[in-house]
Each structure stands twice: as C-alpha cells, then as structure tokens.
Amino acid sequence: MPALGCCVDAAVSPPPYAFAGWDSTLPVPPPTNAAAWSPAHSAMLYRVDGWGEPYFAVNSNGNVSVRPYGADTLAHQEIDLLKVVKKASDPKNSGGLGLQLPIVVRFPDVLKNRLESLQSCFDFAIQSQGYEAHYQGVYPVKCNQDKFVVDGIVKFGSGFRFGLEAGSKPELLLAMSSLCNGSPEALLVCNGFKDVEYISLALIARKLHLNTVIVLEQEEELDIVINVSKKLGVRPVIGLRAKLRTKHSGHFGSTSGEKGKFGLTTTQILRVVKKLQQYEMLDCLQLLHFHIGSQIPSTSLLADGVGEAAQVYCELVRLGACMRVIDIGGGLGIDYDGSKSQDSDISVGYSLQEYASAVVEAVRTVCDRKGVKHPVMCSESGRAIVSHHSILVFEAVSASSHDSNQISSHELQCFVERLTGEALADYRNFSAAAIRGEYDTCLLHAENLKQRCVDQFKEGSLEIEHLAAADGLCELVSKAIGVSDPIHTYHVNLSIFTSIPDFWGIGQLFPIIPIHRLDEKPSVRGILSDLTCDSDGKIDKFIGGESSLPLHKLEGPYYMGMFLGGAYEEALGGFHNLFGGPSVVRVSQSDGPHSFAVTRAMPGPSCGDVLRVMQHEPELMFQTLKHRVEEFANGDAGSIMALTNGIACSFNNMPYLAAADSCRLTAAVNGGNNVYYYCDDESFGSSGDSVVGVEEEQWSYCLA
C-alpha cells in the first residue's frame, strides 16, 4: 500500500504524478474469463436444479426453460420463458400481444402434472402396501381462486375423483358451480366458520347431487346442520375437525395443536357423537378432518400426526359412526430454496412419494391394529398443487448503488485545505497509517474524518462539495483495502405488497432470478426495490440466506422471475398505492415452432379499475378534470384536446411504468360531443402463429 500513502500525502505537497493510480499496488483478484461461464454455472449459482426440479431449468441459450410435463418432458417440448414474455409484451404490430409487465405466466400443463404426480404417488403407496381403499384429494380454493385454475383442477382431476374444498360462502358457490363439470364422486369439503346461509348452500349442493361434506369446525355448528337439514329435507353428510396434540414448531404450525384456531377437542367430539345419537343421525358422521400445519417439514412429524388422527378415526368407528373418509388436511410442503431441509419453513426434507407413503403407512398400521376397515384417504394439498404452475415476471428498469464518485487529486487537495483542528489531525493520521501500510488503522481514521465532516456540515461550516469529497475519499480507501462490497439497488416495475405479499407480511422467501442472460456471469450484487412509496417495498432477503442477489449490469431490458408463487400470492395481494394485479397469460405446450401457444391473455387492471375498487367513479373524475382543463387552457382547442386525451389515457392504462408509446388514443365526433377513448386496433388472435384460442379483450373507455 505504499502508493496509497504517497498519493494521499500528496494533497499537502502535490507531487508531479497523477492521483488516479493510488491503489495500483494493491492485490486484485485474477481477471475473470467470461467465456468460461456457462448456463450450468448459473443454474448452480441460483440453485435452479434444487427448487426448480423437475419443472424449471436453464437452457443452452442462457434462458430459463419450463418443462411442462416435469421429468417426462422431451427436449423439444421445453418452453423458453423469455420467448413467452416477448410474445406477451411485444407490440401487436411486431407480432406480440401488447401486454404490459408485470405479468403472471400460467402453465396449465404443469398444474395437470402436479395433480397426476400426487395421485400417482398415493396410488403407488396404496398398491405397494396392500392398502384396501383409494385416495382422492381436494384442492383448497383459498390458495388461488382464479377461475381457470379451479376449473383446470376439476377438469384435470375428474378421472381420479379430485374435488374442491371451500372455506367461505363465495368459495362454496364457485366450488359448487365448477364441480358440476367434475366427477360425481368428487368431494366438496365445506370448512371454515359457518352460518345458516353457508350450511343451507352446502345442503342445497347435496340436493344437486354434489358429494358435499359439512365439516364441523365448532360444536355449535351441529345445531344449525340438524335444524336446516330437517327444513330442507336433506340428509347431511357430516365431518368433524379434530384438534390434535401433534403440531410443528415452525411459523406454519401455529394453527395446529390443542390451541389451534379450528377444530373440536376430544370432549367436544364426544358431545357431538352423543347429540347425533339422540337425533338418530350418527350414520351421517362419515369424515374425520385434521390439520397439522402448512409446510410440514418431515415425514416423522407427518406420521406422528396422521397416526394420532387414525386413532381418533378408529374410536369414532367404535362409537358407532359410519366413518368412511380420513381427511389429512394440508401440509404437503414444497422446497422453496432447494435445500431439502427439515429445519426450515421454506424447505421440506421429503419427496412427494415419501409423503404419500408415510400417510398410507400411518393410517394402515393403526387401522390394522384396531381391526378397522381402511378408510378413503383425502388430502387438501393446495400449495403443492398450484405453486409451480405460475411465474411472476417483471422488469428491472434502473439500478443505483451507494458508491461515491471517484475523487481527483485536485478535489482532494481542495478538501484538505479546508480541514482544521481534529479533522485535519484525522487526515494526517490517516495519511501516516496509509504510508505504513496499516490498513485497518487507515480505514478507522478515514471513517473518523468522514464523521467530523458530517458534523461540520450539520453546523453549517462545511459546504456540500467538501462533504461529497469526504464520502469519495472514504469509499476509495475501502475499495483500496478490499473491504468495499457495494450493493446495487435494482428498481423493479412491481408492487411487492400486491404481487409478493407473503414476503412483506411473514418473510416468506421465493426463488427470484433473472430469466435470461444466464450464459453470462453476474457482475454485481443487488437488492430489489419496488414502485411503492414505502420503505418496506423492497426485497433484501433471498433463498440461501443471502442478503443480496447476483445480478447482471443493466444493458437493455432485464427480466426477472419469481417462481413457486402460484399459491396465496394472488389471493392475498391488495391495492397498496393503488397498484393492481399483473397481466396474465396462459401458456400450453404445443408442437409449433416455439413449443408453446398462448391460450388466454388478460391485461392487468387499469388505473380506472383500481379506482373503482376504492369506490371512486373514474367517469365522473374524468368529467371533473376535463372541465378543469377547459377552464384553464385559455380556449386553445388543440391544447384542450391534448390534455384531455392524456388524462383519458391515464385512466385506461395500468398503474405500472409503461413505455412512452404505450398510450394510444382516438378522438371521434359523436353528435357534437367528443368521445376520447383508449383503443388497440389489433386483436390478440392476430398476433402470431404460435398463439391460438386467445380471447379478445374489450378495453374500457372514458366519455368526454
């Protein structure tokens, strides 16, 4: 470090050589051979082979590829995610769909594969263990209530009697409607708190020959079921939710155990049985439900809970109930970080097959010991079914870092000349330590000098240029001695509160990676900052315990994806800062040249749409602003039209950042009144050969 010492000391007695080379003698890492970096290195860096298996990979072009059929996907069937995003976001006159980012890309083929994989694993466990009943699952619609997600599950699962679970009256209505097209044996499990109307709807569903089960969450609900069933003349099928002693200690286990929010204690279960006997309705009790908690970390905990529940099931059989189904609830976890850990809320230490085998073995063992007929097994796996099928894609629009500007020798000399007292002493100590090569002492004196400059600035005795010089000097010293690791902030066109609420609310981590340029080595590390006006609107924690993410320098569009977010994120997202939901496309594998076809495209909510959610009236707001324009535009017709068109455009565009040419307006004359509306001349269906069956969208408009 002698060169550093000479150069900093030069501020007092300037030498004839340049200041810029002051750290040239410091050891530096060997130059990186960029050509040696490969997509495989990126796959390892971002753990894609862990959390992405078997649906996501990095292809030879350095882009994320989607394997719609999981491990059975052939090479030519893989879908390049970047091509999908370009197809969705490119202008229509360029063959795209003209959708604005952020965008959720759904893959119904992945959804179908998840259902089939779950069923296959249970079928294998049942056959290999000699279990004498079958498995039929239900999907809890609370995970993602999107119509096409729910209808897809009913359609894909109809061959193996896959049903739905509802926890509220709206969910019950959509489940009833959707299951009209499903298997007649599919279960409609009614959970959640219930009133007379909820129970009436459930009993009407039985009248409609839907296989409905009313699960008692509270003891008081039984009285409503008995009374309403008599009035409607419907014999109900009743289940009850048991509060087990088994629970896990993680965040997602907080709703289980004896202190859980839902369910009946053993004393309450006995009272329910007794009351059903009194009303000669004990034969109606046919299902036992329980829930250990979401993201069950290990099969040992799972087996413990299922075994306890199986004991309760057998006791209900002994008491005379016509038990038929054991519903193990949710809890089948997914591996968000690829670590396969049993000690993490974002990972699980088992495979899908190991989960199914543990459940079957636990139920079989208890029932065989008690001499009880094996029950039909049901699970309410939501997270494990829908998480993989959708990807949130967004764009980084700018980047900044906390680096200070480089300080020149002239700036350093001017800076030193202004120093007095203790600040000057700090500089001299810093310079002396630099000459001696005492790195830590050098940095300490530099930080002291910086703090004294800050104090002087606050007192008004130091100008802002000299404060900036102090920052530059301290940053340069940090770099010279190798302790500076600047983290860049990447500003992303996204609302974390709307699209990734679980990160903000409970610290849930999701895999987030660039979806392209993965054949290049990332050169910086960064955190993500969203568009909202809140300091919480940032992502500074990532899988693997990282506080920053390896990223590439921004050179043109830079697309990133959040994966495994198909469950809960859309259902929980709100309208913070009035950012609405993203655009959505559904993509199926096809034999076309790009291996995919967009089967549906939906633009995200406009500014007018989100305003309506909050009880505002965009049409009246537009009228008010139009009159204001007419009042203050000095009668200039051209100016009035331009301003009015701009306002109308804003009401009809999405709240997210958009390209400058995304607002296109048409003015028409109708009966003497100008009508300004946002329009797009091309339909989705004309946007390319690889797009089939895309529904045309009617854009909203504002009347002037």
Side-chain angles (χ1 to χ4, degrees), residues 148-159:
F148 294 94
V149 172
V150 176
D151 287 351
I153 288 172
V154 170
K155 175 184 176 182
F156 301 145
S158 62

Side-chain angles (χ1 to χ4, degrees), residues 30 77 108 111 152 166 245 279 336 487 491 587 603 651 663:
Q77 295 173 324
L111 190 64
R245 270 66 170 181
Y279 283 88
Y336 288 100
I487 301 298
H491 304 286
V587 177
F651 274 111
C663 177

